[in-house]
Amino acid sequence: MLSLFMSISGGVSWENVIAPLKEVSLVWVVVYLFYISFTYFAVLNVVTAVFCQSAIDGAQNDHASKVHAILANKEQHLTKISTL
């Protein structure tokens, strides 16, 4: 398990893990490569997507608050003009 974690986090080279697996069976090499591929392309992309989506939502909320502030300023300016 530690080797799997270290493989995806950059703690150990894939070659260092694959070499002992080749001695056992090529099936384990295929399983290991499937694990690495799945982890990189599926799980890490989901994490990136969640981060990007939260950044987009934050930007939209910021835009909405700016529009609200502009409308509030407009109302203040209209009341000042009407008092003149």
Side-chain angles (χ1 to χ4, degrees), residues 10-82:
V12 67
S13 175
W14 296 1
E15 295 172 358
N16 295 341
V17 178
I18 287 181
L21 289 176
K22 282 182 185 177
E23 294 176 10
V24 175
S25 174
L26 285 177
V27 174
W28 290 113
V29 172
V30 172
V31 170
Y32 174 75
L33 292 175
F34 176 77
Y35 167 77
I36 295 296
S37 300
F38 177 78
T39 303
Y40 272 120
F41 296 119
V43 175
L44 295 178
N45 283 338
V46 168
V47 171
T48 303
V50 168
F51 175 76
C52 290
Q53 187 63 40
S54 66
I56 290 169
D57 290 343
Q60 287 177 348
N61 290 339
D62 187 44
H63 177 69
S65 66
K66 284 183 182 180
V67 169
H68 188 335
I70 290 171
L71 290 176
N73 286 340
K74 180 181 175 183
E75 291 176 5
Q76 290 175 355
H77 289 299
L78 287 175
T79 55
K80 286 181 184 179
I81 291 172
S82 65

